[in-house]
């Protein structure tokens, strides 16, 4: 937006002067919070929070920026709340420019012997850290903390990012009593404004300021929008959630259009056909997809005389995985070129996967690129193109009526299976010759584990036998990752042995470790000290020692965001244990056949003794990759009942 660089801008003071609260002016109510209802589980609470953002002119450089002011007061309720005193302020880097933090003030207020004492932050203890080439972090820790401290800090942030006007997060990891945000935007800009999250605004107001902005002598109006939210619960992060930003209650702004000085206006909100044209002609995207020439001479070596399309695709996928290693950076555009990535054997995610698209196309396969947002990055806007929503690119190859999604940045990922961090809603397929389109990002396989124990209970009270574990899909990927993370397979088995104190591994064999397309099989000869003395009568034995659920992953009374597993899950356990003569089954865990609504899942557990052989079978299935918030309490109860069942024993009694 270079046309805005040399505008003369004047703001009336009334348009930017907002109603902040007095810094360090503590009241008795702030001290004890007796008049307000707070979450009994809270370790800290925001008493009051205020922010304002407005567009300003940097007269030194002649460009516009966003002036953001922030002020917060927090009560530390106990030692577990000290983490709220570790403050991190992110700043974006825009090429040769970066956000700047100024006017930082911070103080810790304690009430000692009937008096308030204030301990200011030592500015020498404010640090900056370059997180990566796009983000700088300003960090500090509030001083002199005790239980009951009130911490307060404020700062101004000068930001060059005008496309996304400063967003405001009402919700955080601690509850807030009051949060207010004021956005002051000149009429030259039109933003799409959206409230995300389950919480509702307590109030909002829009005011018009006449002639608050003057450009080259011409007056413009500004709008002042005030958003207030009260009594905001904390957003508690639990297992199986995507980016917290997807669910945190917040106000977001996206520039949709702006007015030109000539009198016309220009739309920033583009159509996908415009984005398609830009991406296809981008030197770091479409131009790299077209580099089939780089692979023409390599194809005979890569394909190894393979002629079937699926075989060719597999060989190319393996070649790219072996020859270009990920350098730690992600993005939808190449850092250098795929030619450079092939030469150096290193690149970011776009270098690798756009090279894969080009190589597949060179083999006359129907290959496309898919841009997406990873789970930690949040969801994308499906209403209109926002290219900054996307942070990752993968390949898609279409063979004989079937489509395969491929990510060659993961060496242990089999053909056609996406890493779970890519399973996030929809991606946009970019084709060099056809219009782009949305495509569902779904797991092509389950996370499947199957355990089989065939053993015998000896007279010395030890169970000896063979344990076989079959891992399929994501379970196989996770196991291979753990095995290869160890210095050797021996070390992996040693750590596995240490993690199961009741079981000793005597011998082992692992099959298909390098054959990613096949199930991973582990065979263990094991010994388990089940009983110290077989002369005892009765004998108590807990059969839930394999893949036992030790903790319920769902502990909230209410969850306002979905449970996103990424993929369906299945764990099957079968045990056959030969018992000594004259032992009968006196009692056993309750027979359980529990199902979730709409075929969402099942847990089955059965125990029996037949011809002196103990037969124990357990099956847990979660048949949905995503469960809605309305299904949360059912899932919580599902796990609770399993955990309760796993506390019960099998009781064996000698027959007389």
């Amino acid at each position: 937006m270079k046309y805005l660089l040399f505008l003369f801008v004047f703001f009336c003071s009334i348009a930017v002067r907002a109603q902040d609260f007095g810094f360090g002016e503590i009241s008795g109510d702030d001290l004890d919070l007796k008049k307000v209802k707070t979450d009994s589980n809270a370790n800290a609470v925001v008493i009051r929070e205020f922010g304002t953002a407005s567009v300003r002119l940097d007269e030194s450089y002649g460009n516009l920026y966003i002036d953001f002011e922030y002020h917060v007061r927090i009560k530390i309720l106990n030692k577990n709340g000290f983490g709220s005193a570790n403050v991190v302020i992110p700043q974006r880097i825009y090429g040769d420019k970066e956000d700047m933090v100024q006017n930082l003030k911070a103080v810790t207020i304690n009430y000692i012997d009937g008096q308030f004492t204030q301990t200011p932050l030592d500015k020498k203890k404010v640090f900056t850290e370059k997180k990566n080439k796009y983000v700088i972090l300003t960090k500090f820790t509030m001083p002199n903390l005790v239980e009951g401290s009130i911490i307060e800090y404020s700062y101004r942030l000068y930001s060059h990012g005008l496309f996304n006007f400063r967003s405001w997060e009402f919700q955080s990891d601690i509850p807030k009593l009051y949060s207010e945000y004021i956005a002051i935007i000149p009429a030259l800009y039109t933003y799409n404004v959206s409230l995300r999250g389950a919480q509702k605004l307590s109030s909002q107001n829009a005011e018009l300021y006449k002639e608050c902005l003057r450009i080259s002598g011409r007056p413009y109006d500004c709008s002042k929008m005030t958003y207030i939210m009260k009594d905001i619960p904390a957003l508690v992060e639990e297992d199986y959630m995507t980016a917290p930003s997807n669910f945190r209650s917040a106000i977001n702004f996206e520039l949709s259009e702006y007015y030109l000085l000539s009198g016309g206006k220009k739309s920033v909100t583009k159509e996908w056909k415009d984005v398609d044209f830009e991406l296809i002609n981008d030197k770091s995207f479409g131009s790299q997809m077209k580099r089939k020439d780089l692979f023409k001479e390599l194809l005979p070596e890569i394909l190894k005389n393979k002629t079937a399309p699926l075989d060719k695709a597999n060989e190319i996928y393996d070649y790219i995985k072996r020859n270009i290693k990920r350098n730690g950076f992600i993005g939808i555009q190449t850092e250098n070129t795929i030619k450079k990535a092939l030469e150096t054997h290193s690149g970011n995610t776009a270098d690798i996967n756009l090279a894969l698209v080009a190589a597949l196309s060179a083999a006359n396969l129907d290959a496309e690129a898919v841009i997406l947002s990873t789970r930690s990055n949040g969801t994308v806007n499906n209403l209109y193109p926002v290219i900054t929503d996307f942070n990752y690119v993968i390949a898609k190859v279409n063979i004989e009526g079937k489509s395969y999604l491929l990510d060659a940045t993961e060496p242990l990922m089999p053909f056609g299976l996406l890493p779970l961090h890519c399973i996030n809603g929809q991606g946009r397929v970019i084709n060099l010759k056809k219009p782009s389109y949305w495509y569902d990002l779904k797991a092509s396989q389950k996370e499947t584990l199957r355990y089989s124990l065939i053993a015998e209970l000896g007279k010395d009270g030890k169970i000896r036998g063979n344990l076989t574990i079959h891992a399929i899909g994501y379970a196989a990927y996770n196991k291979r990752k753990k095995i290869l993370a160890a210095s050797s397979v021996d070390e992996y088995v040693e750590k596995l042995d240490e993690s199961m104190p009741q079981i000793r591994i005597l011998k082992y064999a692992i099959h298909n470790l390098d054959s990613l397309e096949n199930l991973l099989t582990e065979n263990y000869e094991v010994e388990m000290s089940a009983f110290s003395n077989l002369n005892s009568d009765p004998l108590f034995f807990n059969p839930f020692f394999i893949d036992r659920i030790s903790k319920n992953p769902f502990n909230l009374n209410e969850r306002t965001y979905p449970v996103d597993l990424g993929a369906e899950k299945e764990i099957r356990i079968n045990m056959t244990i030969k018992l000594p003569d004259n032992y009968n089954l006196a009692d056993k865990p309750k027979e359980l056949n529990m199902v979730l609504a709409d075929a969402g899942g099942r847990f089955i557990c059965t125990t029996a003794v037949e011809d002196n052989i103990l037969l124990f079978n357990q099956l847990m299935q979660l048949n949905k990759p995503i469960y809605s918030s309305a299904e949360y309490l059912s899932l919580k109860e599902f796990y609770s009942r399993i955990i309760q069942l796993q506390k019960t024993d099998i009781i064996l009694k000698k027959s007389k």
Side-chain angles (χ1 to χ4, degrees):
M1 302 197 299
K2 294 180 180 178
Y3 65 95
L4 289 173
L5 293 182
F6 301 105
L7 301 184
F8 173 76
V9 183
F10 169 75
F11 284 91
C12 294
S13 60
I14 189 172
V16 295
R17 183 68 62 186
Q19 297 301 313
D20 196 357
F21 55 99
F23 192 92
E25 297 176 6
I26 304 299
S27 69
D29 290 342
D30 294 336
L31 189 65
D32 55 33
L33 299 182
K34 289 182 179 179
K35 295 182 179 180
V36 296
K37 183 180 180 181
T38 58
D39 183 353
S40 59
N41 295 317
N43 301 310
V45 60
V46 172
I47 298 171
R48 193 173 181 91
E49 180 184 48
F50 176 83
T52 183
S54 56
V55 178
R56 297 281 190 93
L57 175 71
D58 185 339
E59 296 183 359
S60 300
Y61 296 95
N63 61 287
L64 296 175
Y65 66 93
I66 293 176
D67 181 8
F68 174 68
E69 297 182 62
Y70 182 75
H71 183 190
V72 67
R73 181 178 295 160
I74 302 172
K75 172 87 169 181
I76 305 296
L77 301 177
N78 54 53
K79 289 182 179 179
N80 293 328
F82 283 6
S84 296
N86 298 322
V87 183
V88 179
I89 306 171
Q91 297 140 251
R92 292 283 300 176
I93 301 173
Y94 308 87
D96 60 345
K97 297 177 182 178
E98 60 188 50
D99 294 347
M100 294 183 296
V101 174
Q102 293 190 358
N103 301 344
L104 174 63
K105 291 195 300 182
V107 65
T108 299
I109 303 169
N110 292 315
Y111 190 71
I112 301 174
D113 297 330
Q115 292 185 332
F116 288 107
T117 63
Q118 297 195 4
T119 307
L121 173 68
D122 183 352
K123 296 296 180 67
K124 294 179 181 179
K125 294 185 177 180
V126 178
F127 306 95
T128 58
E129 171 191 322
K130 189 169 184 179
K131 183 179 180 182
N132 54 48
K133 61 183 180 180
Y134 305 111
V135 178
I136 293 175
L137 304 176
T138 293
K139 294 181 170 183
F140 59 90
T141 298
M142 302 297 295
N144 197 23
L145 290 176
V146 297
E147 291 186 347
S149 290
I150 293 174
I151 61 174
E152 188 166 352
Y153 59 90
S154 64
Y155 61 87
R156 296 182 78 166
L157 181 71
Y158 300 115
S159 175
H160 298 278
L162 286 176
F163 180 83
N164 293 97
F165 192 81
R166 187 76 189 188
S167 61
W168 180 262
E169 293 184 347
F170 289 102
Q171 202 169 23
S172 71
D173 59 348
I174 61 174
K176 298 181 181 181
L177 302 182
Y178 184 93
S179 181
E180 179 178 356
Y181 181 51
I182 297 175
I184 300 167
I185 301 175
L188 285 170
Y189 299 101
T190 301
Y191 285 91
N192 293 315
V193 184
S194 61
L195 175 65
R196 175 178 282 178
Q199 304 304 312
K200 305 301 180 185
L201 291 169
S202 301
S203 66
Q204 58 179 314
N205 184 51
E207 300 175 59
L208 178 66
Y209 285 103
K210 301 291 291 183
E211 300 185 10
C212 66
L213 167 66
R214 192 170 295 275
I215 302 174
S216 301
R218 181 178 176 182
Y220 291 91
D221 299 335
C222 287
S223 60
K224 173 186 172 184
M225 295 173 288
T226 302
Y227 306 97
I228 296 173
M229 194 176 285
K230 300 177 182 178
D231 301 323
I232 312 159
L235 179 71
V236 180
E237 295 182 30
E238 260 196 329
D239 292 342
Y240 307 118
M241 71 180 295
T242 55
S245 59
N246 290 338
F247 315 108
R248 189 177 291 126
S249 292
I251 287 283
N252 296 302
F253 300 80
E254 289 176 346
L255 185 63
S256 63
E257 63 182 19
Y258 55 86
Y259 284 86
L260 302 171
L261 293 181
S262 60
K265 66 180 178 179
K266 189 171 181 65
S267 175
V268 175
T269 304
K270 301 176 181 178
E271 297 181 10
W272 270 110
K273 64 180 181 180
D274 303 315
V275 175
D276 293 351
F277 180 81
E278 291 178 7
L279 285 175
I280 289 169
N281 290 282
D282 190 325
K283 291 181 180 180
S284 299
F285 191 90
S287 295
Q288 302 305 310
M289 293 172 62
K290 299 171 185 176
R291 292 304 308 270
K292 295 188 292 183
D293 57 297
L294 294 173
F295 298 94
K296 288 297 184 183
E297 294 183 3
L298 295 172
L299 280 178
E301 176 192 345
I302 296 172
L303 297 180
K304 302 172 184 175
N305 297 318
K306 296 290 194 309
T307 56
L310 190 56
D311 291 339
K312 290 163 69 175
N314 265 287
E315 294 296 339
I316 291 169
Y317 176 63
D318 286 340
Y319 177 85
I320 297 296
K321 284 199 297 180
R322 290 194 311 269
N323 283 276
I324 311 178
K325 302 302 179 185
R326 181 171 162 181
N327 63 11
F329 291 100
I330 68 174
I332 67 170
Q333 295 170 310
T334 59
E335 285 193 350
N336 296 301
T337 62
I338 63 174
K339 182 176 185 294
K340 184 81 170 178
L342 286 166
E343 291 171 349
T344 61
H345 303 289
S346 177
N348 72 353
T349 51
D351 288 313
I352 297 170
N353 286 328
L354 292 181
L356 177 59
V357 173
L360 291 167
S361 300
N364 297 317
L365 297 171
D366 180 14
E368 304 167 295
V370 184
I371 56 175
L372 57 87
S373 173
T374 57
R375 291 166 75 88
S376 62
N377 190 58
T379 55
V380 297
N381 191 324
N382 286 346
L383 297 178
Y384 46 83
V386 180
I387 201 64
T388 53
D389 282 353
F390 300 87
N391 70 328
Y392 208 91
V393 61
I394 59 172
K396 176 174 176 282
V397 61
N398 310 301
I399 299 173
E400 297 174 350
K402 186 174 180 180
S403 295
Y404 302 86
L405 298 177
L406 308 173
D407 181 4
T409 71
E410 296 282 350
L412 299 177
M413 195 61 65
F415 184 90
L417 189 64
L418 274 185
L420 279 178
H421 63 253
C422 292
I423 308 295
N424 189 31
Q426 292 184 312
R428 190 77 181 185
V429 180
I430 308 298
N431 190 297
L432 292 175
K433 298 179 180 179
K434 302 175 184 177
S436 66
Y437 58 95
W438 291 109
Y439 192 82
D440 290 338
L441 302 170
K442 295 181 178 179
S444 60
Q445 296 183 36
K446 293 181 180 181
E447 179 183 345
T448 304
L449 281 169
R450 295 173 184 165
Y451 299 88
S452 175
L453 176 66
I454 300 175
E456 181 175 354
L457 173 59
K459 293 181 179 180
D460 57 358
K462 293 183 178 180
I463 294 175
R464 296 179 180 87
N466 291 288
L467 174 64
T468 301
I469 306 172
H470 296 301
I472 306 169
Y474 291 103
Y477 167 75
N478 292 332
K479 276 187 172 288
R480 287 187 173 103
K481 200 170 181 180
K482 284 183 180 179
I483 293 170
L484 294 183
S487 59
S488 65
V489 177
D490 284 344
E491 182 186 312
Y492 166 77
V493 174
E494 186 178 330
K495 289 182 178 179
L496 180 64
D497 191 36
E498 291 172 355
S499 69
M500 300 185 297
Q502 289 180 295
I503 299 175
R504 190 159 68 97
I505 297 174
L506 305 177
K507 293 181 182 179
Y508 76 87
I510 297 179
H511 307 281
N512 297 327
L513 182 59
D514 299 320
S515 302
L516 305 184
E517 310 305 321
N518 299 318
L519 58 81
L520 180 69
T521 300
E522 300 167 82
N523 290 318
Y524 298 103
E525 185 181 321
V526 297
E527 179 182 271
M528 178 179 178
S529 298
F531 309 102
S532 59
N533 186 358
L534 274 189
N535 293 324
S536 299
D537 190 28
L539 298 176
F540 294 87
F541 172 60
N542 190 295
F544 301 99
F545 57 88
I546 295 176
D547 215 339
R548 182 170 181 151
I549 301 172
S550 58
K551 182 183 177 183
N552 193 331
F554 311 114
N555 292 301
L556 301 178
N557 294 326
E558 180 186 21
R559 178 159 154 166
T560 57
Y561 50 89
V563 174
D564 193 330
L565 306 177
E568 297 175 30
K569 187 173 184 177
E570 178 177 305
I571 300 174
R572 191 182 295 268
I573 300 171
N574 302 111
M575 294 184 199
T576 301
I577 302 175
K578 189 175 187 303
L579 303 175
D581 293 338
N582 303 322
Y583 273 94
N584 296 317
L585 186 63
D587 201 1
K588 62 181 181 179
K590 181 181 178 182
E591 299 281 324
L592 194 59
N593 187 349
M594 179 170 51
V595 296
L596 292 170
D598 301 322
R602 166 168 286 189
F603 181 84
I604 300 174
C605 182
T606 62
T607 309
V609 171
E610 297 177 4
D611 299 326
N612 257 40
I613 295 176
L614 173 65
L615 303 172
F616 175 81
N617 298 290
Q618 179 182 303
L619 170 67
M620 186 179 79
Q621 293 175 324
L622 294 172
N623 298 328
K624 293 182 179 182
I626 301 175
Y627 293 84
S628 70
S629 57
E631 296 172 292
Y632 176 76
L633 292 180
S634 296
L635 266 180
K636 179 180 177 180
E637 177 65 17
F638 183 78
Y639 271 84
S640 293
R641 291 182 65 183
I642 294 172
I643 291 170
Q644 284 300 117
L645 178 71
Q646 291 181 343
K647 294 177 181 178
T648 57
D649 293 331
I650 290 172
I651 302 177
L652 301 174
K653 199 170 180 63
K654 277 186 178 181
S655 57
K656 295 179 180 179

